[in-house]
Amino acid sequence: MSMATPKQDMVTMALFTAAVLSAPLWLSPIGANYPDLLQKFAIYGIFAIGFNILFGLTGYLSFGHAAFLGVGSYTAVWSFKLLSMNVIPAVIFGTLLAGLFALAIGYLSLRRSGIYFSILTLAFAQMCYNLAYSVLTPITNGETGLQLDIGDPHVLDSLFGIEYTGLPSTSLFGLQMTGYSGFYFCAVILILAFFLSLRIFRSAFGMKLRAIKSNQTRMMYTGFNTRPYLLTAFVISGMYAGLAGSLLAVTDPLAGAERMQWTASGEVVLMTILGGAGTLIGPLLGVGLIKYFENIFSALNEQTLHEVFAFLPDWIENLTVAIVNPFVGEGWHLMLGVLFMVIVIFLPGGVMEGIRRIADLPRKFRRKAEKRRQEAEHAAALRAAEEEG
Amino acid sequence: MSDYILDIDKVDKTFGGLHALADINLKVEKGTVHAIIGPNGAGKSTLLNVCIGKLAPNSGTVNFDGQILTGMHPYQINKAGVVRVFQTPEIFPDLTILQNVMVPAFAKRDGTFTFNFWKSMSAERKIRQEAEHVLEDVGLAEQMHNHSGSMSRGDKRRLEIAMALVQHPKLLLLDEPTAGMSRHDTNRTIDLLKKIKERGMTKVIIEHDMHVVFSLADRISVLAQGRIIAEGTPDEIRGNPKVQEAYLGGAEL
């Protein structure tokens, strides 16, 4: 794996920034340009980028990152209720508190590695989930979920003389976080989060994490205490998850315990593997795929399918719709499952490996052509020698 | 005496009923090459494992340069200046050859843990130069951007020697550095080790190849069934009938 130069990284950053900010434009042909979905792309993108710092670099597979997502959401909503409807304190507190949780859970879970580490993180996350439903109901509001109330104090806001009539909405110094402004707020944070992850990937710290993934025992005989490295990576990725969780609350100030369930932890694992663990862009592609399926394919039904395939002769149309129908609408999970299996079996490196292979095709063809040419020359030379002899 | 850098004192190690190391006393003088020879299963690798903290002895201590290594964590022993080259190559197969050498160079500079994720690798020029320099010494400079996982076994071993040298250890422990190498590679490795010898690094070397042992060692200890049965200069060992009987089966050296 050759390292990219700083100049190449700057180009990457520029392209990435342009792509994210112009997403509403280039996503419109596939019907994914509405703010609600764009926000989800950005927020889960942050979640997956952070998860990839742990899983992609160190190889430690956490099955409990949804816990940090949930902590971020609850903290953000509490910040809205108690302090201010401004999103800045909500995001900061959400990230920090998730970091503290990650420190505690990571410290305990990292005493083991491999499958045992995964099980420990899963157990902690499920514990958080069940606590949120039961003992912690005063904080989490149980099954109903934590939401804004008319009587909330908003201490900081009233300090600055801001009064609300009715249920207030989240804002960035007066700019309401709804629609496209909400998306652009998440987009800017996504760009910053991506930049930080790029720096980590390119640093000596990132290389040490990769070395731990490659041969952890060797790292200890090389003079490294590996556990603080792993814990740092764990806390960073936990804070990314907390950031994503607080952004979920920014775009919709409501936090429920289901956000912490193991399926949510599993989803980020799927996203990262689907896109390509350990690559910079891969997890984002995974997020795009899964969220697109979840939102677009799930909205398709038999009637829309008939419209799509209307150009076919009637009986083929009916047959195609009958085959495709179970995979869309409520069956979109089936489609996702099939896609996941195909990718893991044929492209263990995820979508990114597919892209790399396609990019390598011209070189492969050239090499093959070169080999054929050499063989032909060789054969010609042999023939010539025979004729002479 | 103070110029013994390594002092293994009454080390005992059992695995179940097997007495792997029995009351081992071994002193290594600073700046010398000390070879440990002996038949398979004599306890040579076990002895090295005790030195680097991979195994804890049942009793006895390993003293190194004024410190007691016994009970220390492997990374602390590395920090004390003891570095081992493993018998089966232990490298980072997912990294490039250059990165494999940069990792231990970072360990030397950064200590057991540092957290600087902002500085780009491309700005780490000094570490890179050090790593390139050592790779030139072992003859791997030309292929340093290749993946290390697909190297030949002999190349992996030379890479491991480079990974050890970049840390400038006070004591280098070599576990059969030429095992499985071709004659050509073996000679190259001997030349390389001789070059290091000139730099005054203390080395303990385990080796089956007598050609390697006699061209490098200043002193030799012979280990058989967990005990040291003889110790002396190469000439003394060569002429020792007890060694020839026990280890070499009477064959001429």
Side-chain angles (χ1 to χ4, degrees):
Chain A
M1 145 196 44
S2 62
M3 275 287 169
T5 62
K7 211 179 248 170
Q8 281 171 318
D9 283 343
M10 260 163 59
V11 174
T12 309
M13 258 335 281
L15 287 177
F16 181 76
T17 309
V20 171
L21 293 181
S22 65
L25 293 176
W26 57 266
L27 283 176
S28 71
I30 55 168
N33 64 331
Y34 56 97
D36 196 42
L37 181 56
L38 289 171
Q39 275 164 8
K40 279 205 183 110
F41 282 150
I43 292 172
Y44 282 92
I46 294 168
F47 190 20
I49 288 175
F51 185 76
N52 190 41
I53 290 173
L54 179 71
F55 177 54
L57 288 181
T58 71
Y60 274 67
L61 177 60
S62 161
F63 244 100
H65 261 50
F68 311 127
L69 193 77
V71 169
S73 285
Y74 280 122
T75 315
V77 175
W78 273 113
S79 164
F80 292 140
K81 285 165 82 74
L82 297 179
L83 294 174
S84 162
M85 287 309 290
N86 194 324
V87 295
I88 300 289
V91 166
I92 291 175
F93 286 123
T95 311
L96 287 182
L97 198 68
L100 276 181
F101 268 74
L103 188 66
I105 292 179
Y107 180 79
L108 293 169
S109 304
L110 285 169
R111 310 198 144 256
R112 290 284 169 272
S113 61
I115 185 83
Y116 302 101
F117 167 80
S118 303
I119 300 269
L120 278 173
T121 51
L122 175 64
F124 278 117
Q126 283 304 90
M127 208 165 83
C128 291
Y129 167 69
N130 283 310
L131 284 177
Y133 259 133
S134 54
V135 190
L136 295 178
T137 306
I139 299 175
T140 61
N141 206 16
E143 278 180 54
T144 328
L146 187 65
Q147 46 198 315
L148 301 175
D149 283 319
I150 303 225
D152 288 333
H154 310 294
V155 179
L156 282 178
D157 287 346
S158 23
L159 215 65
F160 289 99
I162 307 169
E163 296 296 332
Y164 298 106
T165 51
L167 271 188
S169 54
T170 58
S171 73
L172 177 70
F173 304 109
L175 178 68
Q176 296 220 332
M177 289 290 109
T178 49
Y180 277 107
S181 56
F183 161 67
Y184 277 108
F185 179 67
C186 297
V188 168
I189 293 187
L190 170 66
I191 291 164
L192 293 177
F194 181 77
F195 180 59
L196 183 64
S197 130
L198 180 85
R199 296 302 303 215
I200 291 176
F201 267 65
R202 298 289 184 252
S203 68
F205 178 75
M207 194 181 70
K208 289 171 195 167
L209 294 181
R210 278 208 193 90
I212 290 175
K213 181 182 183 178
S214 197
N215 191 345
Q216 187 173 356
T217 322
R218 184 65 168 102
M219 277 304 263
M220 296 200 262
Y221 295 111
T222 309
F224 285 110
N225 189 0
T226 51
R227 208 174 287 157
Y229 280 98
L230 292 165
L231 187 58
T232 311
F234 193 89
V235 171
I236 292 175
S237 76
M239 287 172 83
Y240 267 78
L243 176 64
S246 56
L247 288 176
L248 282 174
V250 163
T251 53
D252 181 16
L254 176 94
E258 75 287 342
R259 212 162 266 176
M260 297 185 161
Q261 217 179 350
W262 67 271
T263 47
S265 296
E267 197 183 38
V268 76
V269 178
L270 289 191
M271 289 167 172
T272 310
I273 293 177
L274 196 62
T279 62
L280 271 166
I281 303 281
L284 290 167
L285 297 179
V287 169
L289 270 175
I290 289 185
K291 285 293 155 194
Y292 186 74
F293 274 67
E294 185 184 304
N295 287 277
I296 305 293
F297 276 68
S298 64
L300 296 177
N301 54 35
E302 211 170 331
Q303 204 188 331
T304 43
L305 283 181
H306 275 293
E307 281 164 25
V308 171
F309 295 110
F311 64 93
L312 295 168
D314 265 357
W315 69 275
I316 302 184
E317 179 190 325
N318 288 338
L319 187 67
T320 317
V321 171
I323 293 170
V324 175
N325 197 34
F327 292 92
V328 298
E330 282 180 355
W332 72 273
H333 277 115
L334 198 56
M335 180 84 162
L336 187 64
V338 170
L339 182 76
F340 189 74
M341 281 195 289
V342 168
I343 288 201
V344 169
I345 292 170
F346 296 105
L347 297 171
V351 178
M352 283 306 279
E353 189 180 330
I355 293 176
R356 226 182 350 255
R357 281 196 198 170
I358 292 170
D360 274 348
L361 277 183
R363 208 181 315 154
K364 226 177 183 175
F365 278 129
R366 235 178 297 143
R367 221 177 299 142
K368 250 189 200 155
E370 175 74 7
K371 206 173 158 198
R372 245 190 318 241
R373 199 180 54 79
Q374 277 175 356
E375 275 170 4
E377 267 176 22
H378 186 68
L382 274 183
R383 253 197 317 273
E386 255 170 40
E387 274 165 23
E388 261 178 42
Chain B
M1 230 165 69
S2 64
D3 48 340
Y4 287 123
I5 191 164
L6 180 71
D7 181 359
I8 298 172
D9 190 24
K10 298 197 194 81
V11 162
D12 223 77
K13 178 74 193 173
T14 55
F15 296 109
L18 179 73
H19 217 144
L21 296 174
D23 194 31
I24 299 284
N25 286 294
L26 189 86
K27 286 178 167 47
V28 177
E29 219 172 303
K30 204 170 182 170
T32 60
V33 177
H34 196 118
I36 301 173
I37 61 173
N40 282 326
K44 304 180 303 282
S45 290
T46 308
L47 187 59
L48 285 201
N49 283 337
V50 167
C51 289
I52 60 157
K54 195 174 178 182
L55 292 174
N58 296 52
S59 64
T61 54
V62 178
N63 303 292
F64 171 74
D65 206 20
Q67 286 171 285
I68 298 170
L69 298 188
T70 321
M72 274 192 189
H73 201 278
Y75 66 77
Q76 292 167 323
I77 292 178
N78 174 287
K79 282 285 166 293
V82 182
V83 174
R84 172 176 179 182
V85 173
F86 287 82
Q87 187 181 357
T88 44
E90 286 273 345
I91 57 168
F92 303 110
D94 305 315
L95 303 184
T96 66
I97 295 173
L98 177 65
Q99 287 170 336
N100 261 277
V101 185
M102 285 176 82
V103 169
F106 279 124
K108 181 77 180 171
R109 188 194 70 182
D110 296 346
T112 53
F113 175 69
T114 39
F115 174 52
N116 178 359
F117 61 81
W118 201 251
K119 193 173 179 187
S120 165
M121 284 282 287
S122 49
E124 307 275 12
R125 288 201 188 80
K126 221 180 137 210
I127 294 278
R128 197 193 153 109
Q129 277 167 3
E130 274 175 45
E132 285 175 357
H133 192 77
V134 175
L135 282 171
E136 265 164 38
D137 276 359
V138 299
L140 289 172
E142 275 164 32
Q143 34 178 323
M144 66 184 178
H145 293 298
N146 292 356
H147 244 271
S148 62
S150 49
M151 296 166 92
S152 74
R153 202 179 145 89
D155 281 352
K156 278 184 187 163
R157 314 217 57 169
R158 276 189 294 152
L159 173 59
E160 254 219 277
I161 293 174
M163 290 165 77
L165 290 183
V166 81
Q167 296 198 313
H168 304 289
K170 290 182 198 157
L171 174 65
L172 183 63
L173 306 173
L174 295 143
D175 196 348
E176 299 193 29
T178 64
M181 276 191 189
S182 65
R183 180 89 324 208
H184 173 72
D185 279 346
T186 302
N187 286 334
R188 265 176 90 174
T189 310
I190 292 175
D191 288 342
L192 174 67
L193 293 175
K194 271 187 181 156
K195 237 198 293 183
I196 316 166
K197 187 177 169 181
E198 284 155 19
R199 289 182 206 160
M201 193 183 285
T202 313
K203 283 186 289 297
V204 171
I205 175 168
I206 289 178
E207 188 56 74
H208 273 302
D209 189 331
M210 289 306 137
H211 169 60
V212 178
V213 171
F214 287 115
S215 44
L216 284 171
D218 299 309
R219 280 189 84 75
I220 299 175
S221 295
V222 184
L223 208 60
Q225 289 172 331
R227 286 168 202 285
I228 291 180
I229 58 166
E231 197 187 317
T233 63
D235 286 338
E236 286 166 9
I237 294 296
R238 220 192 292 254
N240 187 329
K242 206 166 136 197
V243 176
Q244 294 195 354
E245 276 305 312
Y247 172 41
L248 301 155
E252 274 301 308
L253 284 179

